[in-house]
């Protein structure tokens, strides 16, 4: 019996580690979602293995809760998945971060400047209308 | 909608209430009067408090068809898992997938959902998109070669739908789908 | 057979089931790493995983052999089988809608061609409003 437990434990661990590798590599959010779903199900299997070895029945509610809730994460991410730009999955280097920050601050300063100069003219236009972003049917 | 919404809702929701009570009793593990009553109370509270669209089930439960469906499903599940494991573990084998569209023959949401669920768990296919209004299921086939070709995969889904209909559908629905009633 | 022999038989059967379940979970992990495409990886996440979990639960039930906990295990298996295809379907649909599926890797892609045909048809009718489905 001990050999069986060891073999099962090793198989489950290796499977979970491979899924985590895919979670790191996966080019999109959805790949990572699937990989983490597999990790959760492997956790259920591992808890069940422990309960089988020790013959404990009080860990069974953990299995029920995990199986019900474990898929909510992937469904939520899939439901709200937005289109990711191509370079999003990469880890940016320090120079790239600095360059992007500088660009962003430039764009903000420019937007602030145009907003200040255009405010006096734009104020009357909004007077009779609704708020920005209001949905008109 | 009928003129008496409250009465209508009770009649169509009784199956949900029974199912929820069964789930509650299973969770507690022993079949005692207290558990059944508590389950009924919670099921009633859930179905009246959280209102969902009632599923119109006009069909008839056929035991023979249901057992056939269940048996075939278990066999297919075991076969599918080992097939996918083989593809995963065989070195240097890249599966070539395909996405096919299958026009289902029945016009009900319930059978569409059941067929989609069962098709996702059996060999080779996974439901990617389902159009309710036209009754079309789009499935992704993992390996075209292992499923025996695209037409074989399509026929497998239609066979699955036929087994579902023969387990649950009424006679009129079977006729509408073009499957004759088996004696 | 005596009570002890039944116990041994149950233990052996449980060990076999646990091994089978762990092997399938391992195959699911290998599959999700090796498969080339998002849609193929979803296959690895539903089929071997579900059966692997069912086998492990059968092994656990054979070990526990009594008590109300066994019925809860039936529930766990049913929930897993109900929810895994739903999660896979939503991920696949999101993959299509956000353009993560590469049509060139597929042998036949009828969903994309149907969507393109529907788009062409919609553009010909300018007064058609509202989302599809």
């Amino acid at each position: 019996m001990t050999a069986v437990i060891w073999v099962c434990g090793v198989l489950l661990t290796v499977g979970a580690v491979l899924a985590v590798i895919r979670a790191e590599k996966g080019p999109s959010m959805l790949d990572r979602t699937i990989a983490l779903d597999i990790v959760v199900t492997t956790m259920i299997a591992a808890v069940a293995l422990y309960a089988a070895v020790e013959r404990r029945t009080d860990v069974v509610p953990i299995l029920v809760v995990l199986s019900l809730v474990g898929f909510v994460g992937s469904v939520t991410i899939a439901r709200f998945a937005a289109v990711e730009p191509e370079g999003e999955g990469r880890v940016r280097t320090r120079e790239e971060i600095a360059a992007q920050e500088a660009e962003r601050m430039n764009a903000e300063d420019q937007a602030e400047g145009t907003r200040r100069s255009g405010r006096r003219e734009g104020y009357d236009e909004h007077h009779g209308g609704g708020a920005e972003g209001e949905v008109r049917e | 909608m009928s003129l008496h919404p409250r009465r209508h809702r009770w009649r169509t929701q009784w199956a949900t209430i029974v199912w929820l009570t069964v789930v509650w009793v299973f969770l507690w593990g022993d079949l005692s009067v207290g558990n059944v009553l508590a389950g009924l109370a919670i099921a009633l509270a859930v179905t009246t408090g959280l209102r969902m669209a009632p599923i119109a089930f006009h069909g008839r439960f056929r035991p023979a068809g249901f057992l056939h469906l269940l048996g075939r499903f278990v066999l297919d599940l075991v076969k599918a898992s080992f097939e996918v494991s083989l593809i995963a573990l065989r070195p240097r084998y890249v599966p070539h997938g395909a996405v096919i569209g299958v026009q289902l023959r029945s016009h009900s949401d319930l059978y569409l959902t059941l067929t989609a669920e069962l098709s996702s768990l059996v060999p080779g296919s996974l439901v990617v998109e389902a159009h309710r209004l036209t009754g079309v299921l789009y499935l992704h086939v993992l390996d075209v070669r292992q499923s025996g070709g695209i037409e074989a995969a399509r026929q497998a889904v239609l066979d699955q739908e036929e087994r579902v209909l023969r387990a649950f559908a009424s006679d009129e629905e079977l006729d509408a789908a073009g499957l004759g009633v088996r004696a | 057979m005596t009570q002890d022999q039944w116990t041994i038989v149950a233990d052996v059967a449980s060990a076999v089931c646990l091994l089978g379940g762990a092997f399938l979970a391992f195959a699911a992990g290998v599959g999700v790493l090796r498969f080339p495409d998002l849609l193929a990886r979803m296959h690895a996440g539903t089929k071997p995983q579900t059966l692997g979990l069912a086998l492990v639960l059968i092994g656990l039930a054979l070990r526990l052999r009594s008590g109300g906990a066994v019925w809860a295990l039936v529930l766990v298996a049913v929930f897993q089988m109900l929810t895994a295809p739903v999660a896979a379907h939503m991920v696949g649909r999101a993959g299509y809608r956000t353009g993560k599926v590469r049509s060139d890797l597929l042998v036949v892609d009828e969903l994309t061609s149907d969507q393109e045909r529907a788009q062409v048809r919609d553009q010909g009718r300018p007064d058609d409003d509202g989302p599809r489905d």
Side-chain angles (χ1 to χ4, degrees):
Chain A
M1 193 67 181
T2 321
V4 167
I5 302 166
W6 271 101
V7 169
C8 288
V10 165
L11 281 175
L12 285 177
T13 311
V14 172
V17 164
L18 292 177
V20 168
I21 294 179
R22 168 53 71 196
E24 193 275 334
K25 265 177 59 171
S28 71
M29 222 26 145
L30 300 169
D31 291 296
R32 300 188 176 112
T33 299
I34 300 173
L36 292 178
D37 201 8
I38 292 185
V39 170
V40 168
T41 316
T42 308
M43 265 200 297
I44 300 179
V47 171
L49 179 67
Y50 168 72
V53 167
E54 301 284 327
R55 298 196 75 205
R56 294 177 64 163
T57 59
D58 51 352
V59 295
V60 171
I62 302 181
L63 300 179
V64 175
V65 170
L66 268 180
S67 72
L68 277 177
V69 174
F71 86 111
V72 171
S74 16
V75 168
T76 310
I77 293 184
R79 168 79 178 78
F80 294 112
V83 180
E84 289 173 310
E86 260 313 304
E88 195 75 8
R90 264 184 328 116
V91 176
R92 296 173 290 176
T93 66
R94 201 166 291 199
E95 294 83 14
E96 288 172 350
I97 296 178
Q100 280 179 349
E101 279 297 309
E103 232 180 78
R104 194 171 58 83
M105 294 186 61
N106 267 343
E108 270 185 15
D109 290 335
Q110 278 185 0
E112 188 66 29
T114 50
R115 211 182 315 141
R116 246 184 242 131
S117 61
R119 177 176 296 184
R120 211 154 294 134
E121 302 142 23
Y123 182 61
D124 293 324
E125 285 177 26
H126 289 297
H127 192 66
E132 225 177 282
E134 184 186 283
V135 174
R136 302 289 192 96
E137 282 297 38
Chain B
M1 280 286 129
S2 79
L3 291 174
H4 300 277
R6 190 164 301 197
R7 196 173 57 174
H8 185 78
R9 190 175 64 229
W10 281 106
R11 260 190 302 142
T12 54
Q13 295 281 61
W14 68 270
T16 311
I17 295 177
V18 166
W19 161 246
L20 286 177
T21 313
V22 166
V23 169
W24 183 259
V25 170
F26 266 32
L27 274 179
W28 281 105
D30 57 340
L31 187 68
S32 70
V33 180
N35 277 344
V36 173
L37 285 180
L40 268 177
I42 292 186
L44 286 173
V46 165
T47 46
T48 52
L50 308 170
R51 229 154 303 167
M52 291 194 296
I55 304 172
F57 179 62
H58 302 293
R60 190 181 88 183
F61 181 72
R62 300 158 191 266
F66 181 66
L67 284 176
H68 180 57
L69 174 71
L70 217 55
R72 260 314 278 273
F73 170 64
V74 169
L75 279 176
D76 282 342
L77 181 64
V78 173
K79 201 158 71 107
S81 305
F82 281 106
E83 277 176 3
V84 175
S85 311
L86 269 179
I87 295 182
L89 293 172
R90 207 192 302 179
R92 276 185 298 275
Y93 181 79
V94 177
H96 297 284
V99 173
I100 56 175
V102 178
Q103 171 73 47
L104 293 181
R105 291 168 293 202
S106 65
H107 302 291
S108 153
D109 285 348
L110 178 63
Y111 303 137
L112 180 88
T113 312
L114 270 178
T115 310
E117 282 259 347
L118 294 178
S119 294
S120 289
L121 290 170
V122 296
S125 52
L126 193 70
V127 171
V128 173
E129 180 85 52
H131 285 166
R132 263 184 62 219
L133 301 172
T134 54
V136 183
L137 277 183
Y138 290 98
L139 303 105
H140 175 255
V141 179
L142 179 62
D143 196 17
V144 176
R145 202 185 323 164
Q146 198 181 56
S147 313
I150 294 181
E151 287 312 316
R154 226 190 287 260
Q155 189 59 37
V157 176
L158 288 173
D159 286 343
Q160 183 75 250
E161 190 209 2
E162 180 182 337
R163 283 197 289 271
V164 167
L165 282 178
R166 284 204 195 283
F168 290 119
S170 66
D171 288 341
E172 300 86 35
E173 287 171 333
L174 273 180
D175 283 337
L179 305 165
V181 176
R182 251 205 295 245
Chain C
M1 295 220 279
T2 68
Q3 185 66 26
D4 274 346
Q5 284 177 320
W6 275 117
T7 310
I8 295 181
V9 165
D11 275 348
V12 167
S14 144
V16 168
C17 287
L18 286 176
L19 270 178
F23 172 72
L24 283 175
F26 165 70
V30 169
V32 85
L33 186 62
R34 268 200 64 209
F35 283 164
D37 191 20
L38 171 70
L39 292 178
R41 287 174 203 146
M42 286 192 315
H43 279 264
T46 53
K47 293 175 230 281
Q49 199 67 15
T50 309
L51 183 63
L53 191 66
L55 276 180
V56 168
L57 292 175
I58 292 177
L60 176 59
L62 282 172
R63 258 310 253 186
L64 289 181
R65 276 193 287 271
S66 74
V70 177
W71 296 108
L73 297 178
V74 170
L75 263 186
V76 171
V78 167
F79 286 154
Q80 179 69 20
M81 284 201 213
L82 280 181
T83 60
V86 169
H89 166 240
M90 292 214 61
V91 168
R93 203 159 70 145
Y96 253 101
R97 289 187 182 176
T98 59
K100 294 285 182 304
V101 174
R102 294 176 45 191
S103 270
D104 45 342
L105 285 183
L106 298 171
V107 170
V108 162
D109 192 359
E110 292 180 6
L111 181 54
T112 308
S113 48
D114 283 354
Q115 275 176 350
E116 283 168 0
R117 248 184 297 148
Q119 260 179 348
V120 164
R121 201 176 54 221
D122 282 347
Q123 280 160 8
R125 284 187 289 161
D127 51 338
D128 202 22
D129 56 338
R132 203 151 258 287
D133 233 70

